[in-house]
Amino acid sequence: MERAALFLDIDGTILSEITKEIPQSALDAMRAAKRAGHLLFINTGRTFCSIPPKISQFEFDGFLCGCGTYLTYHDEVLFSRSIPERRGREIIDKMIECRLDGIMEGTQDIYLPSRMSRFDRLESSRRYFQNAGLGLEEYIEKGSFVYDKLFVYADELSDKDTFFKFVEKDIEPINRGGDTYECIQKGYSKATACEYILKKFAMETEQAYVFGDSSNDLSMFEYAGHAIAMGDHAKELDPYTEYVTDKVEEDGIARAFSHYGLI
């Protein structure tokens, strides 16, 4: 078949959220796809600093991070866009004023609140990031840092409407359920990351295969010629899904690659 560009989400797609491993079948399938001449890219909401070592050690052609805001091809940075430092500080201050809490995600590091949060899920994320050596240098309340996106937590005490009105000119929230929101720079997404790569290699959307499971994969599902949802996936993907494969733990990636004749 003609050369294809494969865009893969991480969590719940190639990395099991149960075992915290990449199944051997997925590793074998991805290596076979590379041998067949296809391009393989990670396309993730994670910023570059938080790519797990299990992922970064695989020979991907590039990493498309932060929902389209940091793109690499091999060792070359193709594109990078952070929220300007002054605007980033305004957003943090407004978030605190509106009684939300959040995590700022940068290319170089993750930035957390200095105090313990009332949101248990944020504290769980704190433990995860700090165990990976992230979020230890500067805290969101102070510090001169820039970031690419943010993840915010709300509850009945939060004035989220005021906050989202304040950021609407340059930030777009993605509802991740449970009153949590992945907030990305407006005009950038997993779809714009796909588009950039296809243009670079003079490829058509029919040559793009996207693999995902969550709501932040929606834009690339709408964009690509072939959208493959994992067996356990967000319902928002269904209208744009061409093929549903098995769960990641059940050889879903290998099954999908075989279904499309990629290997």
Side-chain angles (χ1 to χ4, degrees):
M1 66 177 298
E2 67 177 343
R3 191 186 202 192
L6 316 183
F7 301 94
L8 300 116
D9 177 46
I10 296 178
D11 303 287
T13 299
I14 59 171
L15 184 70
S16 170
E17 296 183 283
I18 298 171
T19 68
K20 310 303 180 185
E21 299 289 339
I22 307 172
Q24 188 61 47
S25 63
L27 290 169
D28 292 343
M30 291 189 296
R31 290 189 180 111
K34 283 187 66 66
R35 288 195 298 270
H38 304 306
L39 296 169
L40 269 69
F41 290 88
I42 286 295
N43 197 358
T44 180
R46 288 175 178 255
T47 50
F48 189 69
C49 67
S50 63
I51 299 292
K54 290 182 177 69
I55 301 296
S56 58
Q57 290 165 5
F58 186 82
E59 54 271 23
F60 288 105
D61 290 288
F63 296 89
L64 317 179
C65 304
C67 290
T69 54
Y70 187 83
L71 315 180
T72 73
Y73 174 63
H74 296 301
D75 294 328
E76 178 187 1
V77 177
L78 300 175
F79 177 82
S80 179
R81 180 180 174 88
S82 298
I83 300 168
E85 184 176 342
R86 180 175 177 179
R87 177 58 175 164
R89 174 51 52 191
E90 292 175 350
I91 290 170
I92 292 171
D93 291 344
K94 195 66 174 183
M95 180 188 74
I96 294 171
E97 177 188 322
C98 292
R99 302 207 64 191
L100 294 93
D101 217 341
I103 298 171
M104 313 297 119
E105 303 175 49
T107 299
Q108 302 298 326
D109 202 359
I110 300 296
Y111 306 96
L112 299 156
S114 61
R115 70 205 180 286
M116 180 175 288
S117 174
R118 71 182 187 274
F119 297 100
D120 291 339
R121 291 174 68 179
L122 189 154
E123 290 304 314
S124 177
S125 293
R126 183 196 300 273
R127 291 189 292 273
Y128 171 83
F129 286 126
Q130 292 188 337
N131 285 339
L134 298 169
L136 300 169
E137 299 297 323
E138 293 186 90
Y139 295 105
I140 66 171
E141 292 86 354
K142 60 182 68 175
S144 55
F145 59 85
V146 296
Y147 56 95
D148 304 338
K149 60 192 287 280
L150 59 156
F151 199 97
V152 300
Y153 302 78
D155 60 13
E156 67 280 358
L157 300 176
S158 306
D159 184 2
K160 64 184 180 186
D161 291 340
T162 295
F163 175 72
F164 289 137
K165 182 69 174 177
F166 180 77
V167 301
E168 68 179 1
K169 69 179 181 181
D170 49 7
I171 299 293
E172 181 177 353
I174 300 173
N175 189 336
R176 298 303 301 268
D179 236 355
T180 64
Y181 302 86
E182 185 173 14
C183 299
I184 64 176
Q185 295 182 62
K186 188 168 284 187
Y188 300 92
S189 67
K190 290 189 176 185
T192 64
C194 292
E195 182 179 36
Y196 191 105
I197 295 300
L198 294 184
K199 286 183 177 178
K200 177 178 176 61
F201 292 99
M203 300 172 79
E204 303 296 330
T205 55
E206 277 301 308
Q207 294 171 267
Y209 295 75
V210 299
F211 302 79
D213 71 301
S214 64
S215 55
N216 75 352
D217 295 315
L218 180 59
S219 66
M220 69 175 182
F221 270 54
E222 292 174 325
Y223 174 79
H226 307 281
I228 298 92
M230 305 306 292
D232 190 3
H233 64 271
K235 66 181 185 303
E236 294 94 329
L237 302 180
D238 285 338
Y240 307 98
T241 295
E242 181 177 75
Y243 179 72
V244 178
T245 189
D246 288 328
K247 297 177 183 179
V248 58
E249 302 84 9
E250 298 171 357
D251 304 328
I253 291 297
R255 174 186 167 190
F257 282 24
S258 294
H259 172 80
Y260 282 99
L262 296 166
I263 56 176

